[in-house]
Amino acid sequence: MTTTPSQANPRMGAHLAAAASGFAMVLLACLPLRAEDANPVLAKVNGSEIRQSDVALAEEELGPSLAQMDPATKKDNVLAFLIDMKIVAKAAEDKKIEDRPDFKARLTFTRNRLLMDNLLAAEGKAATTDEAMKKVYDEAAKQIAGEQEVHARHILVETEDQAKAIEAELKKGADFAELAKSKSKDPGASDGGDLGFFTKDQMVPEFANVAFSLEPGKISDPVKTQFGWHIIKVEEKRNRKAPDFDQVKPQIETYVARKAQADYVAKLREAAKVERLDQASNTPAPDAAKPSESKMAPAKK
């Protein structure tokens, strides 16, 4: 007769059984959670369940009003809100609120808005591929490459006589940055009148024409603009370089998504029969809102 390990050694059999039980627990721990475990019921109102997913959705909708709360307080407040909402909603059902014309109109509007938002969000997300974003980046980078920019300082005063007096001090060897700190009325005076790098189209024409005509280290004669009288000193000139892709990726992603959404709406409109009864029959419907152009350069101070 063949004996099993447990029959030959009872103590060994007990150890094997314990090991098997422990292994089974490990396997169970590795199994995916059931849907109800991942989305537990947090409360019941007259038998109607409120789950974790309901709390998450409410948090998303309530947004800014919860921003200052710690997670535990936030969850407690949102759950209390959902409980009250269910109680009041049931009372509204009992009073047949949902049968009122104004309620039906608002419900239809809200449904259509949610359908639109969800579809456009999906279209935008599908469009923001790495390939599409790189294409937009490369096209913008080509336009930027080679464009000249100037690093300059300026001193801004109210009158021409004040500007001429400052010009005279500079010719005697006064420090430009120190004079800017003490005499300029520009908000950047505390930085010695430093404007950083800028392109020609970022300044008013009168200022830009003079700044881009000066060689580095040179100081201008008084220049009049709508802001007053300026003395300009050019520190450096260079060809503009496009920022790194990662630096502007969020702006490009937004641009690509919005353009895809606008194009999608325009395509749907072309296929739809739209009648504007408030206008003459030959007046076309307005175009879809176009996405604003994405600027690759960081905003200038």
Side-chain angles (χ1 to χ4, degrees):
M1 183 176 76
T2 303
T3 58
T4 63
S6 59
Q7 289 173 327
N9 188 337
R11 186 170 296 179
M12 180 182 290
H15 284 308
L16 287 171
S21 175
F23 184 60
M25 293 299 292
V26 171
L27 287 176
L28 285 172
C30 294
L31 291 175
L33 290 174
R34 294 176 297 170
E36 56 266 33
D37 294 330
N39 187 23
V41 176
L42 303 181
K44 289 185 179 182
V45 180
N46 297 322
S48 178
E49 296 177 346
I50 298 175
R51 291 183 174 271
Q52 179 61 48
S53 58
D54 298 317
V55 172
L57 180 60
E59 285 182 359
E60 184 181 330
E61 287 293 315
L62 296 172
S65 63
L66 306 171
Q68 303 302 318
M69 297 182 188
D70 62 82
T73 303
K74 182 190 297 185
K75 180 179 178 180
D76 188 59
N77 277 268
V78 171
L79 189 54
F81 169 79
L82 288 173
I83 290 170
D84 287 346
M85 186 172 72
K86 275 192 175 290
I87 292 170
V88 177
K90 180 61 172 64
E93 286 179 354
D94 294 341
K95 290 180 178 291
K96 306 298 182 183
I97 297 294
E98 60 191 325
D99 293 336
R100 294 180 182 176
D102 60 331
F103 178 86
K104 290 180 178 180
R106 187 171 292 276
L107 184 62
T108 299
F109 174 84
T110 302
R111 179 180 180 275
N112 288 338
R113 180 63 185 266
L114 284 172
L115 287 169
M116 179 186 74
D117 289 349
N118 278 268
L119 180 56
L120 291 182
E123 288 293 322
K125 185 176 181 180
T128 53
T129 62
D130 288 340
E131 182 181 0
M133 289 190 289
K134 283 290 289 182
K135 183 179 179 182
V136 170
Y137 173 81
D138 290 341
E139 290 174 354
K142 286 178 186 177
Q143 296 176 12
I144 288 174
E147 184 180 10
Q148 192 176 61
E149 57 183 1
V150 165
H151 176 199
R153 296 177 184 272
H154 80 136
I155 299 171
L156 175 64
V157 291
E158 292 182 359
T159 68
E160 184 178 13
D161 288 341
Q162 289 174 319
K164 286 182 176 180
I166 289 171
E167 182 183 21
E169 289 188 60
L170 290 169
K171 286 181 178 179
K172 292 178 183 178
D175 182 85
F176 193 98
E178 291 304 317
L179 278 181
K181 289 178 184 178
S182 62
K183 304 206 173 191
S184 180
K185 67 172 186 174
D186 184 74
S190 59
D191 292 329
D194 194 353
L195 295 169
F197 279 97
F198 53 86
T199 56
K200 201 166 187 178
D201 61 356
Q202 289 179 302
M203 297 294 178
V204 294
E206 302 90 342
F207 188 100
N209 290 336
V210 174
F212 277 81
S213 68
L214 290 172
E215 293 300 318
K218 298 296 184 180
I219 296 174
S220 73
D221 294 330
V223 178
K224 189 177 188 308
T225 72
Q226 65 200 68
F227 304 105
W229 288 85
H230 308 257
I231 302 292
I232 305 167
K233 180 182 180 183
V234 170
E235 299 283 4
E236 186 181 353
K237 287 184 176 182
R238 69 183 184 189
N239 286 332
R240 189 180 177 195
K241 293 182 180 179
D244 293 337
F245 175 76
D246 288 340
Q247 185 180 349
V248 292
K249 185 177 178 180
Q251 296 98 302
I252 294 176
E253 188 171 6
T254 298
Y255 171 80
V256 171
R258 289 181 179 173
K259 185 177 186 306
Q261 291 165 350
D263 290 346
Y264 183 71
V265 172
K267 182 179 178 181
L268 291 177
R269 184 185 284 115
E270 286 179 5
K273 182 181 179 181
V274 178
E275 298 178 80
R276 287 290 299 266
L277 304 182
D278 63 326
Q279 298 176 347
S281 58
N282 61 348
T283 304
D287 291 337
K290 295 180 180 178
S292 59
E293 294 184 2
S294 172
K295 292 187 178 179
M296 293 180 65
K300 227 180 89 52
K301 290 198 243 180

